[in-house]
Amino acid sequence: MRWAVTFGAIVGALLITQSALAQNLSGSLRPEVRPRGDEVSRAASIPILVVPGPSVSRPKLRPSAVSEKAPPQVAPSAKDAGFQDWRVGLRARAQAQGIRGDVFDGAFRGVHYDPDVIKRDRNQSEFSKTIWEYLDSAASNTRVENGRAALRKHRRVLEAIEARYGVDKEVVVAVWGLESNYGTFRGQSDVIQSLATLAYDGRRGEFFEQQLIAALRILQSGDTSPREMTGSWAGAMGHTQFIPTSYLDYAVDFTGDGRRDIWSDDPTDALASTAAYLAKFGWEKGQPWGVEVKLPRNFDYALAIRTVTRTPARWARMGVVGMDGKAVSNHGQASILLPAGSQGVALMIFDNFGVIERYNAADAYVIGVGHLSDRIAGGSEFKASWPRSDRALTFAERQEMQQRLSAAGFDTQGVDGRIGPKTLEAVRGFQRAQGMTPDGYASLELLQRLR
């Protein structure tokens, strides 16, 4: 969440990690990306909201009343021995932050270093897919139909959530659909074990230790128990995949049963928590996230950047119109986004695009949520075509592109294999110098020219 709820950083408009896309409709379509800076340095928590809602007959869970099963045991290793030593220091740091010793000990009963978590973390950026391949799954006919069925099934709850938070119910359902395929793939990893492994590993240790302490706070509050706290290998939890700090800040008890329960089969609290999160970051009900548009032949592609905003009427005077040939309705200031360059779909995006982006900072994820929500509401598929003959660059090729751009005098300000704003700016500069359309599209053709 992003992305404040998930581990987000700008992946770029073109690329989505293979780890997410390798899964079919039974899996989450969240791009596994890097932590955003604002997630690490979060401001003070938002007060917890308890909103009367549909009653659910469910006793309040207390950790002491739950029969706990430890995570599956594995043969100890030298790495695990070091992990156990590290845990001693962690216990002291957790207690200094208000975590009771019995809560810590219960949470870590049977927990060990998990090398599979590290393997998955290391392999995130190696392979990639194009945005159209991502959308083929994210907004497939099956996912759309399942979303409409989920909306029908939970309409009463979703309408109550929409009335309370002012977030369109189709958008909440779309987030649910991409994060856990409407609750069917919530993740089965032991969150304490996964976060502890990532914190001990050290590469992003400070961030993951922060998440781990937050997870212990959740356990101490009694909202769930250690072994019921399951989620993704990276620590995202429940129907809509909150990470622990975001849970503490934004999760709500919509059912009124005394717990903010995002893990159980009942999705009510998770859906309300997602709406509360989006509302907190400024969701405007009725405003589209984005609208597909047509660009004029003489369009100045230097204007297709997020920092350039115009009203739809002003864009229309420049020849940028909806697919019906008319000016887009006035929903406020908007930017033009070209997720696949001049040869793909063109979008006019509004402030709500940036709100979804707080959930996950990958452009493709935002487009996936937005387009899926539109389809669930009865909208059509994108009308323009994608450059399907293109393939995504590999991680090594993206690094090579950055190196060659910088060597050619178009500084990308780093070689990290991610197509972020600085790299896109460098791509545009090179395209202008080569007489190409300066649309910022980091394609294989461009890399070949650089070679």
Side-chain angles (χ1 to χ4, degrees), residues 320-393:
V320 180
V321 295
M323 299 306 284
D324 59 1
K326 301 177 182 178
V328 174
S329 298
N330 183 18
H331 295 287
Q333 295 288 318
S335 301
I336 303 302
L337 179 67
L338 305 175
S342 60
Q343 301 303 307
V345 171
L347 299 168
M348 183 181 293
I349 59 173
F350 295 87
D351 287 345
N352 278 347
F353 185 100
V355 177
I356 301 174
E357 195 173 39
R358 295 301 299 254
Y359 213 92
N360 186 309
D363 281 354
Y365 176 87
V366 181
I367 296 168
V369 167
H371 188 47
L372 178 59
S373 69
D374 289 345
R375 296 284 311 284
I376 289 171
S380 63
E381 297 182 41
F382 289 128
K383 293 181 171 59
S385 59
W386 298 102
R388 290 185 176 272
S389 60
D390 289 359
R391 68 162 175 81
L393 298 176

Side-chain angles (χ1 to χ4, degrees), residues 175-194:
V175 171
W176 188 22
L178 262 63
E179 293 292 349
S180 69
N181 194 29
Y182 310 108
T184 61
F185 191 84
R186 284 167 264 166
Q188 298 178 338
S189 297
D190 185 285
V191 167
I192 296 297
Q193 182 163 288
S194 293

Side-chain angles (χ1 to χ4, degrees), residues 218-299:
I218 295 168
L219 295 175
Q220 188 158 284
S221 74
D223 280 326
T224 190
S225 63
R227 303 292 83 83
E228 294 295 322
M229 184 182 275
T230 56
S232 76
W233 65 266
M237 308 176 297
H239 287 265
T240 53
Q241 298 289 279
F242 272 58
I243 61 171
T245 51
S246 292
Y247 174 97
L248 289 176
D249 287 355
Y250 307 107
V252 299
D253 173 19
F254 199 78
T255 64
D257 72 342
R259 290 192 296 133
R260 295 170 291 164
D261 182 8
I262 65 173
W263 298 273
S264 70
D265 290 339
D266 178 4
T268 300
D269 284 355
L271 298 177
S273 297
T274 295
Y277 181 92
L278 295 173
K280 173 60 184 176
F281 286 104
W283 185 266
E284 295 186 32
K285 190 175 185 300
Q287 182 192 75
W289 63 276
V291 176
E292 186 179 6
V293 293
K294 296 178 183 178
L295 303 180
R297 290 182 179 274
N298 62 345
F299 181 71

